[in-house]
DNA sequence: CCGAATCCCCGCGGATACTG
DNA sequence: CAGTATCCGCGGGGATTCGG
């Protein structure tokens, strides 16, 4: 079994985990949104637009579990819950931005390649 | 609907596509392997270890479609097919490496956070 | 307002068998 | 060797309902 870090199995699985998280569309959107400061559940949901409550909850739990996001409950009525990026979460944003910058810079080439490929495939 | 690039819907979807590709475990492994030069189908399959033919084919087709990998068929008997990273593919490797470097550097913190979270959750 | 719980569907991905 | 074709199980994720 090949590994990402010079054949270290444990590190490999760990890195795959992080990459999978970045590959998760919703998780990236949430991190991006929280960059400008904390938001509450409903604000996140409205901002994203078409995410189900279930998926937003699942995404936030995952980010919280990995120590990327903090969850703060205010025992008011009605209840209020704020989500905020941790230092770790803000650190993750940097390489993610590098990747999305690369995507923006090369998306035309990728789309061209797709058109050519699809055209040749009759 | 929120978008990643200052509310440009088209670019947003495109970036999500690229992130999804990076989130694809097999795709990243293949790109990593092809960094050292071209490989044929069976070499890739043996190197990765436990990937099915179906998934390797699907992964390679996807990478080829996006212009990240070239597919070269030698009409010999038995047939031989080489896969090689394009310039675009090699370019992708750089931000991906930045991300995996971040993962390696912070995996301990993430694992600690997970243990704490799982412990508190009885 | 912020979820947890339940039902349900569809597509990913493995296993297997067959071609050029 | 390098695929394609087919069947199939399981889990991701939407819709809906209920609780604190």
């Amino acid at each position: 079994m090949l590994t990402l870090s010079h054949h270290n199995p444990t590190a490999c699985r760990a890195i795959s985990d992080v990459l999978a998280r970045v590959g998760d569309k919703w998780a990236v959107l949430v991190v991006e949104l929280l960059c400008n400061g904390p938001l509450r559940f409903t604000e996140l949901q409205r901002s994203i637009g078409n995410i189900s409550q279930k998926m937003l909850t699942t995404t936030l739990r995952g980010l919280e579990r990995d120590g990327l996001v903090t969850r703060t409950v205010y025992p008011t009525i009605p209840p209020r819950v704020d989500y905020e990026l941790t230092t770790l979460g803000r650190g993750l944003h940097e390489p993610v931005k590098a990747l999305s910058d690369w995507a923006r810079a090369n998306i035309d080439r990728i789309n061209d390649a797709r058109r050519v490929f699809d055209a040749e495939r009759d």
Side-chain angles (χ1 to χ4, degrees), chain A:
Chain A
M1 171 73 182
L2 169 129
T3 68
L4 275 176
S5 62
H6 309 95
H7 301 84
N8 177 333
T10 307
C12 175
R13 270 214 8 195
I15 292 173
S16 282
D17 275 14
V18 174
L19 293 181
R21 167 120 318 162
V22 172
D24 178 0
K25 179 186 173 185
W26 301 131
V28 173
L29 287 174
V30 167
V31 169
E32 208 82 13
L33 280 171
L34 292 181
C35 266
N36 307 321
L39 291 173
R40 44 195 303 191
F41 188 88
T42 316
E43 290 175 332
L44 282 169
Q45 191 171 21
R46 280 205 319 272
S47 293
I48 296 179
N50 53 357
I51 185 176
S52 62
Q53 301 151 346
K54 181 182 180 182
M55 282 316 296
L56 183 53
T57 301
T58 303
T59 300
L60 288 169
R61 285 294 170 282
L63 292 172
E64 187 194 0
R65 178 172 184 265
D66 286 0
L68 301 169
V69 158
T70 57
R71 177 171 180 271
T72 310
V73 180
Y74 299 95
T76 58
I77 294 180
R80 172 201 179 96
V81 181
D82 274 16
Y83 292 93
E84 186 172 12
L85 240 48
T86 63
T87 306
L88 196 61
R90 278 188 294 274
L92 172 62
H93 179 250
E94 187 177 350
V96 166
K97 186 182 185 312
L99 196 56
S100 54
D101 284 348
W102 183 92
R104 253 191 298 278
N106 294 279
I107 188 59
D108 288 342
R109 267 185 281 270
I110 291 178
N111 280 331
D112 287 349
R114 286 180 179 173
R115 271 190 291 272
V116 170
F117 184 90
D118 293 345
E120 284 175 350
R121 204 176 160 279
D122 307 332

